[in-house]
Each structure stands twice: as C-alpha cells, then as structure tokens.
Amino acid sequence: MANILVVDDELGIRELLSEILNDEGHTVDLAENAAQARKARLENHYDLVLLDIWMPDTDGVTLLKEWAGQGLLTMPVIMMSGHATIETAVEATRIGALSFLEKPITLQKLLKAVQQGLQREAAPAATAAVPVIAAPAPVATGGAVAGGQIPAGIEQPVLPVQAAPVAYVQSSLAATSPAASGPVSSQSFDLDRPLREARDIFERAYFAFHLQRENGSMTRVAEKTGLERTHLYRKLKQLGVDIGRDKKAAS
C-alpha cells in the first residue's frame, strides 16, 4: 500500500485514477490544480505523485521545478499529458520526474508505471535553489523520449457510466443450499425475456460470481474474464453491479 497524490484538472481523470489505485490497495489524495497540490504536499508525505502537465493556474512542469527548488521533490513523480511535446517530456525528466505517461492512459501502463515508481527510491531532494537534475528515465508508456518518439495511446480512458443500481434476480444468484458459503457456479435463468434483459441478468450473475470467487480483486477478475480492467469497470457500472458490496460479501 502506498500514499499517492493525483493532480489533474479533469474530474473524470481524477476519479478514474483514484478508483483504479484504490482498488489496488493504495491511499489516494486528489488535487485539481497546483494550489491544492502544493497544500497537499506540505501537509502529507507521499510515496508517489501523478502530475498533469497542462493545468489552468500553474502547469505541472513549473510545479515540479518549485518542488525541486524547495527541496520538496522527495518522492517519485510521474508526469501525465495528452498534448506534451518531446521537449516538455525531456525537460520534466531532467528536472526530476521519474517518467511520462501520455494520455489516454491505458490501465496496464498506468499500473506498470506506478509499480516502477514505488519500487524506485524517492527522487533526491534539491539542496539549493538550483533544480535537481536527474538522468532521463524511460518513458513508462513504452516509447523512448531520447529517441524522439512519444508513444501513442491505444485506448481512451472513459469514466465509468453512472447507472442506477439494478436489483439482482434472485434465481440467478441464489445458492443451491441455504448453507452455501461460497459463489455458486451453476445457476438457473428465466429465458422467457427479451434478449437484452436476459443477457443483462446473466452478465450480472456472471460478474458477481467471479467477484466473489476472487475476493473482490478486480485484477484477477479481469484476467479470468478476459476483459481489460478499464472495460471491466465500465461494464460493472453499466450493469449496476455494486463492486464495494461484492467485496464486502466476499470477505
């Protein structure tokens, strides 16, 4: 578990990253601009910071320079942007950023970058007004900044669709015995329904079963069902599956 600060002016990005990182067991604080990020950094210790480059008040690179000059760059920082140039990415890594993620950020590359950041020792703090200089780190998205290439994102992170919770159909989730303590893999369904409705009932039961069997681990459920986690989050929201409730029931 780690204490992570996410700084981004887009509400959808903040909420999505927070949901994913919380599911991984991390504690996440959110800031929508540089002012909030400064306050959070002074009041808390962070193991990692995800910092957007383009923000309305102060851009991420300028904030990174401030932290470096003030001796506050004591944690790994991963820069994020959908419009940054190669020069901007290189400048950020030279100031002290660990790596750079280009938006849209895919789930696998986000988790890989976070894992690398947490495994790496905290960035050296600046001891004077001169910014900390660090060797350019490999771009977490798989491209080589030094080679003049910024990797293209392959999937747009979409904020999960907010759907009203839909009641589970009793027959689709009922255990074969009242004393059953685990998920039931064999269930019955009422097929005398419109196709869309019948499909939704089956999918709710399907995902609820896997969530219970995997103790609420979204990572393992994604692997078992063959879905990318970003897609899985959206699917569960659309179906009205309460992820928190399934985790609690599985514990």
Side-chain angles (χ1 to χ4, degrees):
M1 293 180 62
N3 196 21
I4 299 176
L5 174 64
V6 175
V7 186
D8 197 299
D9 63 318
E10 296 183 50
L11 176 61
I13 297 296
R14 292 198 306 274
E15 291 184 342
L16 182 61
L17 295 183
S18 176
E19 187 174 10
I20 292 173
L21 295 173
N22 275 313
D23 186 64
E24 292 297 310
H26 303 301
T27 300
V28 183
D29 288 341
L30 303 177
E32 63 180 83
N33 52 47
Q36 291 184 6
R38 291 188 189 100
K39 185 175 185 293
R41 175 62 187 85
L42 292 175
E43 296 177 351
N44 301 279
H45 167 76
Y46 292 105
D47 301 299
L48 182 72
V49 174
L50 292 167
L51 178 59
D52 187 29
I53 290 181
W54 299 113
M55 295 186 293
D57 55 346
T58 302
D59 66 84
V61 174
T62 299
L63 180 59
L64 190 71
K65 288 180 180 178
E66 289 181 16
W67 283 344
Q70 297 168 6
L72 298 175
L73 195 57
T74 57
M75 64 287 172
V77 176
I78 298 174
M79 308 300 292
M80 307 180 295
S81 179
H83 308 286
T85 63
I86 297 174
E87 292 76 12
T88 302
V90 171
E91 181 184 8
T93 55
R94 285 178 177 171
I95 294 170
L98 172 65
S99 57
F100 172 86
L101 284 173
E102 185 181 22
K103 297 177 182 178
I105 303 171
T106 61
L107 182 70
Q108 292 88 345
K109 292 180 179 179
L110 169 66
L111 296 181
K112 181 179 179 181
V114 169
Q115 181 182 22
Q116 291 175 341
L118 295 177
Q119 289 176 345
R120 179 166 172 165
E121 293 183 0
T127 56
V130 180
V132 171
I133 304 299
V139 174
T141 50
V145 171
Q149 296 179 350
I150 292 182
I154 60 175
E155 182 176 341
Q156 174 69 37
V158 179
L159 183 65
V161 175
Q162 296 297 323
V166 182
Y168 288 95
V169 175
Q170 186 175 1
S171 63
S172 69
L173 296 178
T176 55
S177 168
S181 58
V184 181
S185 60
S186 179
Q187 302 173 11
S188 61
F189 302 91
D190 179 8
L191 301 182
D192 189 20
R193 296 173 177 271
L195 174 60
R196 183 182 296 276
E197 184 178 345
R199 183 180 60 195
D200 288 348
I201 292 172
F202 167 77
E203 289 185 343
R204 290 189 200 102
Y206 174 81
F207 287 114
F209 166 78
H210 283 287
L211 280 167
Q212 286 188 310
R213 190 172 70 173
E214 301 302 334
N215 294 321
S217 170
M218 294 293 286
T219 299
R220 291 197 294 270
V221 172
E223 292 174 354
K224 291 288 185 180
T225 60
L227 296 177
E228 202 212 33
R229 280 190 44 169
T230 304
H231 183 194
L232 178 59
Y233 275 108
R234 293 201 306 268
K235 190 67 175 177
L236 294 179
K237 290 292 185 181
Q238 290 170 345
L239 291 171
V241 177
D242 189 333
I243 301 173
R245 179 179 61 189
D246 284 300
K247 285 185 176 181
K248 183 176 181 181
S251 62

